[in-house]
Amino acid sequence: MCVACRSSDRDQERVQPVDIIRVQGGNALSGTVHVSGAKNSALKLMAATLLAPGVTTLENVPNISDVHVMGKVLKGLGCSIEVADEHTLKIDTSSADSWEAPYNLVAKMRASTAVMGPLLGRFGRAKIAMPGGCNLGARKIDMHILGLEALGVSFDTQHGYIFADAEDGMHGTVVTLEFASVGATENLIMAAVRAKGTTIIDNAAREPEIVDLADMLNKMGAKIEGAGTPVVTIEGVDELHPVTHRVIGDRIEAGTFIVAGALAAGEDGIDITGFNPHHLGMVLKKLEIMGIDIERIPDGVHVRRAERIAPVDIQTLPFPGFPTDMQAQVMVLSALADGNSVITENIFENRFMFASELVRMGAQIRIESHHAIVRGVDHFSGAQVVSPDLRGGAALVVAGLVAEGETDVSAIHHIDRGYERFCEKLVGLGARVDRVSVPDPSDED
């Protein structure tokens, strides 16, 4: 190809647009927003359908990009999926005939490792690409491997893939997790339901999404006790059968809108519905300490804007502690508080990448190791910011709701991974938020 043609091709590539979220600050929020099904539950429930040959129906599934990726993973394994409506999936695993999850899909999100347990339960083997997802730091799956090895699974890692084999079958045992890992707990539960004998998971994660997974598996015929407590007991069964199951509401999406209401709600406040407030217990407690008026209502909460935000110290911990997925949103609140707050991140070492973007909007934040010292300011200024990850991106949009002027949030593919119709829901509350296409800034000289 001639130089002129190559140059022309490059010029054409440069004008390819990308989507950003543009926020005009200063509009009061009012009305009701209904949250979607929980991303972190739906993905694992989709993986669990592999354990029961036949058609399992999942209701209240969020229409987000991570769900689309998991759907492609299942199709790559030989499953078929019917979209009965926007939020209902009929997943037929009868023809599943592969135990290899391809790199091009698995590398897009870490939750895809959740198919490892079901594949071992269904086929006795699995080949899984190393996980991807948000760039939050090391995502070691050592606990997954150590736990499954205790069940009789052998592992080999080559060329970016994890090979798991249980040709002699899996057997029940006692597994003590070094850390209450959600992913390891879920994978162990899904493998152990088909192991011979009884498996006890000690120091199990207690998140509501794990309870949701256990509830569906028990409907399928599994025998799981103690989900939601530190000790989970699973008695292996010979087979499981398809069911219909409704995904729980997304507590993190709900928490994001609660923070939006605390910052920008009008005089009458806003209602956030479609979730169980008990799933946000520690978050609501901390927000109330900050002076946020939160009232429990059927199927959700009512939130009023805070006239004065008090500083607060938080540290992220496994459930029922403060969730790492709400850290960025509460940092936005803390950045406007009347005083200094300290936020300690104990789960992901790179989660403070968000802070530098919030500083561009006028926040005063100093990072010291895994602590963020946040000095409250009286306002934000609109700016061009980049979404560093899923929750950080949503938090930047929320900050833009109360910033002076206009805020452009780019790299919003992160937000699409976990928030369904995020802009539309905010607009429904009265915000001035648009999803617009602009030339890709990364292509500029």
Side-chain angles (χ1 to χ4, degrees):
M1 181 182 293
C2 67
V3 174
C5 291
R6 289 200 300 267
S7 177
S8 177
D9 287 344
R10 285 197 298 269
D11 290 342
Q12 186 174 6
E13 290 174 0
R14 283 179 179 151
V15 301
Q16 294 301 312
V18 295
D19 282 356
I20 66 168
I21 293 177
R22 179 163 291 162
V23 189
Q24 187 68 44
N27 282 55
L29 306 183
S30 63
T32 300
V33 61
H34 190 83
V35 302
S36 302
K39 173 185 89 80
N40 290 334
S41 187
L43 298 175
K44 315 307 170 58
L45 296 174
M46 292 175 70
T49 63
L50 286 163
L51 289 162
V55 180
T56 290
T57 301
L58 295 179
E59 301 172 338
N60 199 34
V61 178
N63 186 2
I64 55 177
S65 63
D66 267 13
V67 165
H68 302 162
V69 172
M70 182 61 84
K72 291 178 181 178
V73 170
L74 293 178
K75 290 178 180 177
L77 297 171
C79 305
S80 62
I81 301 177
E82 176 190 346
V83 182
D85 60 49
E86 187 180 7
H87 299 113
T88 302
L89 301 180
K90 293 182 179 293
I91 303 174
D92 188 350
T93 64
S94 303
S95 57
D97 57 1
S98 174
W99 43 271
E100 178 180 341
Y103 170 79
N104 65 315
L105 296 176
V106 176
K108 292 182 179 180
M109 64 172 187
R110 69 185 185 275
S112 50
T113 57
V115 299
M116 185 186 301
L119 287 175
L120 286 167
R122 177 77 176 265
F123 300 111
R125 59 181 61 188
K127 178 182 177 183
I128 309 293
M130 295 295 284
C134 288
N135 183 24
L136 300 177
R139 297 195 178 278
K140 297 179 179 178
I141 61 170
D142 295 357
M143 280 184 287
H144 300 237
I145 293 174
L146 289 172
L148 291 168
E149 281 179 336
L151 295 179
V153 182
S154 60
F155 284 89
D156 187 21
T157 302
Q158 297 179 19
H159 309 296
Y161 278 87
I162 301 167
F163 295 80
D165 196 303
E167 60 181 355
D168 296 327
M170 293 181 288
H171 51 80
T173 188
V174 177
V175 179
T176 301
L177 295 177
E178 180 181 353
F179 175 81
S181 162
V182 174
T185 300
E186 291 165 335
N187 249 330
L188 284 168
I189 288 175
M190 288 188 283
V193 294
R194 291 299 311 278
K196 295 180 180 178
T198 301
T199 299
I200 297 174
I201 306 173
D202 193 14
N203 195 29
R206 300 159 61 182
E207 273 70 5
E209 293 80 14
I210 288 175
V211 178
D212 199 22
L213 173 63
D215 286 346
M216 188 180 87
L217 290 171
N218 282 337
K219 287 181 188 177
M220 289 177 160
K223 297 180 180 179
I224 305 168
E225 295 181 354
T229 76
V231 180
V232 179
T233 303
I234 307 107
E235 182 181 342
V237 297
D238 292 332
E239 62 180 7
L240 298 172
H241 56 80
V243 295
T244 296
H245 182 80
R246 182 175 178 83
V247 181
I248 60 173
D250 196 314
R251 62 193 172 106
I252 305 302
E253 182 188 2
T256 303
F257 281 111
I258 290 171
V259 170
L263 287 171
E267 185 175 334
D268 294 332
I270 64 172
D271 290 341
I272 299 100
T273 62
F275 79 105
N276 184 345
H278 293 296
H279 295 168
L280 273 182
M282 184 58 69
V283 173
L284 298 183
K285 179 179 179 180
K286 289 293 186 179
L287 293 180
E288 287 168 346
I289 291 173
M290 297 180 82
I292 312 304
D293 186 359
I294 301 173
E295 176 188 354
R296 274 68 167 178
I297 61 174
D299 196 33
V301 296
H302 179 77
V303 182
R304 294 180 179 85
R305 182 171 64 86
E307 296 300 329
R308 174 185 176 276
I309 302 172
V312 69
D313 293 346
I314 66 170
Q315 57 176 325
T316 63
L317 291 167
F319 189 86
F322 194 96
T324 183
D325 280 354
M326 280 300 301
Q327 180 251 99
Q329 298 90 315
V330 172
M331 187 180 288
V332 172
L333 270 178
S334 299
L336 294 174
D338 185 14
N340 297 339
S341 302
V342 178
I343 298 175
T344 302
E345 176 56 58
N346 294 309
I347 309 298
F348 293 127
E349 66 268 29
N350 288 347
R351 197 126 218 182
F352 285 146
M353 292 187 299
F354 157 79
S356 61
E357 295 302 310
L358 193 59
V359 166
R360 290 175 56 79
M361 299 180 69
Q364 294 190 18
I365 304 169
R366 186 175 78 254
I367 305 300
E368 295 182 358
S369 183
H370 63 296
H371 306 285
I373 295 87
V374 186
R375 180 180 180 182
V377 298
D378 58 9
H379 71 280
F380 292 144
S381 298
Q384 293 183 347
V385 291
V386 179
S387 171
D389 54 60
L390 168 55
R391 306 306 174 183
L396 289 169
V397 174
V398 169
L401 297 176
V402 291
E404 295 179 354
E406 192 172 81
T407 299
D408 284 354
V409 183
S410 59
I412 62 173
H413 60 279
H414 291 299
I415 301 173
D416 292 339
R417 289 186 51 235
Y419 290 87
E420 178 182 350
R421 298 187 295 108
F422 191 44
C423 291
E424 292 179 43
K425 289 182 179 182
L426 287 169
V427 169
L429 292 173
R432 289 182 61 186
V433 180
D434 292 306
R435 187 176 181 125
V436 298
S437 294
V438 298
D440 188 347
S442 65
D443 285 339
E444 295 179 359
D445 293 333

